[in-house]
Amino acid sequence: DLAGGILAGDLALVRAVSAVAALDVSPTTRTALLDLLGDVVAESAAGELADTTALAAGRPSLPTVLATAERKTAVYTFVWPLRAAALLVGTPAALALGPALEHVGRLVGVAFQMRDDLRGTFGDPASTGKSCVSDLRAGRATALVAVAAGTGAWPGVLRALGDPELDEIGAEPV
């Protein structure tokens, strides 16, 4: 249920902050890690919010959808671990890599999200673990939806987006 999911997320976030705060590292490194974690959580939350409101703003554009994926997925999945690793290594050379690691993490994270969106639409539900219509039912503005928004197929796609009754047969034309 939604409330249970939100509470589980809150608990996981508190445990993550506690784990970072308890690391046996210098106070400077701990502060840098906690600052980074705070930045990552804030940016990820903004990305999640943008994801939930993307269709309310009208036709989603591909640059907007990709920027949202960067914020909601890439930052916590790839940027955080890469930047945290550099901070934990702590050498001047590792710290100097921070901006490059962030850049690579953002690119890899967007690619990861796009692959997930493709698998979520065209993948085998037995291997992906989710229905091929779940993103459409949920009204998610994926990269595929953004591309469709620029085509003549958009009215049909728009009708299907967010339809809780949409099934595989109804989604086939989409």
Side-chain angles (χ1 to χ4, degrees):
D1 101 300
L2 181 60
I6 291 170
L7 289 170
D10 290 346
L11 291 172
L13 181 57
V14 168
R15 295 295 296 163
V17 172
S18 294
V20 171
L23 287 173
D24 185 19
V25 295
S26 73
T28 302
T29 300
R30 182 179 303 101
T31 298
L33 286 166
L34 289 169
D35 287 346
L36 177 62
L37 182 57
D39 291 346
V40 163
V41 169
E43 189 168 358
S44 296
E48 286 292 341
L49 181 60
D51 188 42
T52 63
T53 60
L55 291 176
R59 289 182 187 218
S61 72
L62 187 57
T64 300
V65 168
L66 295 178
T68 298
E70 182 178 324
R71 297 178 84 189
K72 80 176 189 91
T73 301
V75 171
Y76 74 85
T77 306
F78 295 96
V79 172
W80 158 251
L82 290 169
R83 293 290 308 270
L87 288 169
L88 289 168
V89 170
T91 65
L95 296 174
L97 287 174
L101 292 171
E102 181 159 340
H103 180 72
V104 167
R106 286 175 184 274
L107 293 174
V108 172
V110 169
F112 175 86
Q113 183 63 59
M114 290 178 65
R115 179 178 182 265
D116 184 62
D117 291 347
L118 283 169
R119 290 184 70 210
T121 301
F122 299 111
D124 176 14
S127 66
T128 63
K130 68 177 190 176
S131 163
C132 288
V133 298
S134 62
D135 283 345
L136 291 171
R137 266 192 221 124
R140 298 214 194 306
T142 65
L144 294 169
V145 168
V147 169
T151 70
W154 179 240
V157 173
L158 187 57
R159 278 192 298 279
L161 281 172
D163 178 357
E165 303 299 318
L166 186 67
D167 60 15
E168 286 77 11
I169 294 168
E172 189 62 35
V174 177

